[in-house]
Amino acid sequence: MSEEENKEYQTETENKNENETQDTAVSEELLLPRDTMLSAGIHIGTRIKTLDMEPFIYRVRPDGLFVLDVKKTDDRIRVVAKFLARFEPSKVAVAAARLYAQEPIKKYCEVTGATPITGRFIPGQLSNPLYPNRVEPEVIVVSDPRADAQAVKEASSVGIPIVALCSTDNEFAGVDFVIPTNNKGRRALAVVFWLLARQVLRERGELAADKDPSVTVEDFESKISREEEEED
């Protein structure tokens, strides 16, 4: 077996073991089947662990990657959906600087009526009343508090509640609500924003509890290449 094949085998084995372990640990019904959430990589963190994220970490893999607790991710999506459903749709802003997150939030905003802020966050976009394209949300969701640091800083300065998707390497400075998840993976971001959109619609009473939106997870998934993301 070549070194590359050996690495692929080890990754497949670790994912299989992760499925089996978390499947045993979580007995409560999740928003999606556990296998679906795990195969999307929602639980895969980084090789860095912050003290803020420690309560959400399930274990560390032999390769050094920290693994998030899927049940806690599921719980937080439910809580955040209830919170966001209280606001007028257009008063919810969703920001993403990273390319992989931009398509998911555009689709999320299309489905829920929220306001997207994609690409580079312009200083003053929330705080400068003279800025012509100023956005005045009552709550903001960011896909990564590090990549979207300017949005977090401005929202915090003007008292806007901040919801953030956080991986194992994120800190909570300025953040009010956290969804622990892989916030860098293309499929993981698509699944999380699709789930959040579905739950918000259900909480508003716009979607039956046993129904899904007309758009699919695939519709939420970024179509850009890894090379394009790295160039960004």
Side-chain angles (χ1 to χ4, degrees):
M1 184 182 290
S2 68
E3 183 179 351
E4 184 175 349
E5 289 172 330
N6 185 49
K7 287 181 179 179
E8 290 178 357
Y9 173 76
Q10 288 178 340
T11 300
E12 290 173 1
T13 302
E14 287 167 357
N15 286 337
K16 180 181 179 182
N17 291 339
E18 197 63 52
N19 281 352
E20 293 172 349
T21 304
Q22 293 214 28
D23 185 70
T24 300
V26 181
S27 58
E28 184 177 327
E29 184 178 354
L30 300 175
L31 294 171
L32 279 178
R34 286 184 290 276
D35 286 350
T36 302
M37 296 179 78
L38 294 173
S39 65
I42 283 177
H43 62 307
I44 302 299
T46 70
R47 289 184 172 84
I48 299 172
K49 175 186 72 172
T50 64
L51 287 175
D52 287 340
M53 285 299 294
E54 192 166 359
F56 301 104
I57 293 173
Y58 186 71
R59 72 180 185 97
V60 59
R61 297 195 328 191
D63 62 2
L65 283 173
F66 288 98
V67 175
L68 293 163
D69 188 329
V70 172
K71 178 61 169 59
K72 292 183 178 180
T73 300
D74 186 275
D75 288 343
R76 285 305 181 100
I77 290 173
R78 295 172 191 262
V79 171
V80 168
K82 286 180 181 291
F83 176 67
L84 295 178
R86 294 162 42 191
F87 295 89
E88 181 183 336
S90 64
K91 290 297 184 179
V92 177
V94 191
R98 283 204 171 115
L99 285 175
Y100 273 2
Q102 290 179 25
E103 186 60 32
I105 76 159
K106 287 177 184 176
K107 191 58 68 173
Y108 173 88
C109 292
E110 178 185 316
V111 170
T112 65
T115 302
I117 305 175
T118 58
R120 178 175 175 268
F121 189 91
I122 307 299
Q125 203 162 351
L126 297 178
S127 60
N128 185 354
L130 300 179
Y131 182 64
N133 296 318
R134 184 186 181 199
V135 180
E136 300 182 69
E138 294 178 358
V139 61
I140 188 168
V141 181
V142 298
S143 67
D144 182 337
R146 181 182 295 110
D148 303 310
Q150 183 65 31
V152 171
K153 179 181 177 181
E154 288 199 17
S156 182
S157 71
V158 295
I160 297 171
I162 301 162
V163 175
L165 274 60
C166 292
S167 187
T168 62
D169 58 346
N170 286 123
E171 296 178 337
F172 297 172
V175 174
D176 299 289
F177 293 91
V178 168
I179 298 178
T181 184
N182 176 349
N183 60 8
K184 301 171 182 63
R186 174 164 48 190
R187 184 70 176 181
L189 285 163
V191 169
V192 169
F193 275 108
W194 182 85
L195 276 175
L196 189 58
R198 187 183 72 174
Q199 288 306 112
V200 166
L201 294 178
R202 288 180 176 181
E203 291 293 338
R204 288 182 190 163
E206 298 174 14
L207 188 68
D210 60 343
K211 299 295 183 183
D212 290 338
S214 58
V215 291
T216 66
V217 171
E218 285 68 29
D219 294 324
F220 275 67
E221 190 169 348
S222 174
K223 307 304 186 290
I224 67 169
S225 66
R226 184 180 297 274
E227 289 73 21
E228 288 176 299
E229 168 69 6
E230 290 174 350
E231 287 173 4
D232 180 65

